[in-house]
Amino acid sequence: MLCLQKENDKAMSLFKTRKKRKRRFSMSPTVITLIFLAFAIIMFVTEKIPLGLTSMIVCVGLVITGVLSVSDAFNGFINSNVILFVAMFIVGGALFETGMANEIGSLVTKFAKTERSLIIAIMVIVGVMSGFLSNTGTAAVLIPVVIGIAAKSGYKRSRLLMPLVFAAAMGGNLSLIGAPGNMIAQSALEPLGLKFGFFEYAIVGLPILIVGILFYATIGFKILPHHDTTDADDSIFDESRDFSNVPKWKKVLSLVILIVTLIGMIFEEQIGVKLCITGCVGAILLMVTGVISEKEALKSIDLKTIFLFGGTLSLAKALEVTGAGELIADKAIGALGENPSPVLFTFVVFILCCIMTNFMSNTATTALMAPICVSIAQGMGADPRAVLMACVIGGSCAYATPIGMPANTMVVGAGNYKFMDYVKCGMPLIVIATVVSMIILPIAFPFYP
C-alpha cells in the first residue's frame, strides 16, 4: 500500500512538473499576435511573397495557434467594406466595359491640361466630398472615373490614384460625419457633458488637406509612383479597346446607375440603407438591365484586394481581442511617466495613433485609444477634447500602408502598387499632418483651458 502511494506521489509530481514546463514554454495569445504582426510588417515591406498571400498566412496562422476562432478569423471576408469593394468593382467595371469612363476622362482632361493640374483637381474634389460622405464610398465611386481620366489623358493611373485615396482620408476630418472615428470620439465626450462642433474637426483637418494638396502639387509630385499597368491589359481597364460598337444606352445607363448609387451613399442615414447594400443594388441593376454580363462583372472584381483586406482584418481583430493593441498603447503612454508634458503627451498620442491606424482600421484605433486618452486626460486635469482631437487626427493618418484604410487597398491592383510605394508617398504626408497638428492643437485646443 505504501509502495502504491509512493508511485502515485511520483506520478503526480511528474505531472505537475510537465504542466509547469508546458506553461513556461507556451505563448499567450497576445505574444502570438505580436509575432504575427511583426511577420506581416516584414513581409509587407520586403514583399518576398505576395501581399494577399501574407494576409492569408496570418489569417490561417491565427486560427491554427488558437488566437482566433475560424468564424472570427474569416469574418473579414463578409465585412461590409469587402462587400462594398466587390459591388463597386462591378459598378466601376460597367463604366469601363461600356467605354463611358473614357468619355468622362476626355471631358475632364479638356479642363485640366497637365498631370499636375489633374492631381490638384482630383484631390480637391475627393477631399471636399469625403468631408460629408463616407471616405471609402467617395473613393469607391471615383476610382473608376479617375482610371478613365488616366486612360484618356495618357497619364499613368499610378500617379493619380494614390493622391485620390490620400485626399479621401484627409477630407474625412472636415466634419463630424466625415469618418466613423470622428463620431466615436464624440461618443467618448458625451458622458462628460462635452462635444465637438460639426465643423470643429476642420480646424485641424482643413489645413492638413490644403498643405497635403500643395505638397503633391509640388515636392510630392516627384515621388508619386510611376508604374506601368501591363498586368491589367487583359482586364476591363484596358484603355486601348474600341468601344464604338457599344450601344449608347448602355453607356448612359452605366453612368446613371453610378450617379444613383452615389446619391444613395450620400443619403445613407436618411434612407436607412448601408453603403455596401446600395453598391450591391447598383451592381445587380447593371447585370439585370444587360449593361454588363455576369462574366464581365466577375472579371472586374480584383481578388488581390479581397484577399489582402479580408485577411488582414483578422490581424486587426486579434490585436483587439487579445489586448495586444491596448498593450502597445499602454506601454507607449506609460513610458512618459506620471506627469508628462502636455505637448509631449499629445505628440505621443498622435504618433501612436498614426502607427496603429496603419495596421488596424482607423475606427478600431480610435475606439481603442479614445477611452485610454480620456481617462489619462481626466487624471491630469486636462481637457479631454485636446487629447481626443489628437487621437482622431492621428488615427486618420493611414497613408503608409496598403491596409491602412479600405480605399488604400482598393487601388493596389489598379495602380500596380508595391508596399513601399505607400511608405514613400505616405510617410511625408504623416510628417506634414504631425507638424500641422502640433502647431494648431495647442492653440485651438489648449490642454489646460
Side-chain angles (χ1 to χ4, degrees), residues 398-416:
Y399 315 122
T401 70
I403 59 171
M405 58 181 177
N408 287 13
T409 316
M410 290 184 77
V411 297
V412 170
N416 197 23

Side-chain angles (χ1 to χ4, degrees), residues 23 37 42 76 100 203 231 250 312-313 386 389 424 440:
R23 192 183 299 123
L37 174 62
I42 293 168
M100 193 63 198
I203 295 173
D231 58 330
K250 285 191 175 184
T312 48
L313 279 181
M389 183 60 75
K424 291 175 183 176
I440 296 175

Side-chain angles (χ1 to χ4, degrees), residues 152-279:
K152 199 66 183 177
S153 64
Y155 301 127
K156 294 187 184 297
R157 69 178 78 140
S158 63
R159 306 271 299 166
L160 304 180
L161 289 175
M162 197 164 278
L164 182 154
V165 295
F166 289 167
M170 290 186 286
N173 290 324
L174 295 184
S175 76
L176 186 63
I177 60 172
N182 301 6
M183 291 299 297
I184 290 173
Q186 183 82 318
S187 300
L189 281 176
E190 285 174 354
L192 308 176
L194 301 171
K195 66 176 183 178
F196 288 120
F198 188 82
F199 288 110
E200 206 160 2
Y201 286 106
I203 295 173
V204 184
L206 182 59
I208 290 175
L209 176 62
I210 292 170
V211 177
I213 293 172
L214 291 174
F215 173 74
Y216 287 109
T218 53
I219 301 170
F221 181 78
K222 299 176 182 178
I223 63 173
L224 287 171
H226 205 84
H227 298 317
D228 292 318
T229 47
T230 52
D231 58 330
D233 283 349
D234 59 345
S235 75
I236 55 162
F237 298 132
D238 182 3
E239 55 254 36
S240 63
R241 292 174 55 192
D242 179 15
F243 297 104
S244 58
N245 295 327
V246 179
K248 187 69 177 178
W249 70 267
K250 285 191 175 184
K251 294 184 179 183
V252 173
L253 192 54
S254 68
L255 180 60
V256 168
I257 290 176
L258 174 67
I259 293 171
V260 171
T261 302
L262 174 58
I263 293 172
M265 290 178 172
I266 293 172
F267 295 102
E268 177 189 9
E269 291 187 10
Q270 286 81 353
I271 63 177
V273 180
K274 291 188 175 182
L275 296 179
C276 59
I277 302 301
T278 302

Side-chain angles (χ1 to χ4, degrees), residues 351-416:
I351 294 299
L352 186 57
C353 288
C354 282
I355 295 170
M356 292 175 67
T357 195
N358 279 284
F359 298 97
M360 299 172 65
S361 76
N362 53 5
T363 306
T365 299
T366 308
L368 176 68
M369 290 294 295
I372 297 173
C373 291
V374 168
S375 62
I376 294 175
Q378 285 183 301
M380 296 171 65
D383 183 3
R385 285 165 27 98
V387 188
L388 281 178
M389 183 60 75
C391 175
V392 170
I393 302 297
S396 68
C397 294
Y399 315 122
T401 70
I403 59 171
M405 58 181 177
N408 287 13
T409 316
M410 290 184 77
V411 297
V412 170
N416 197 23

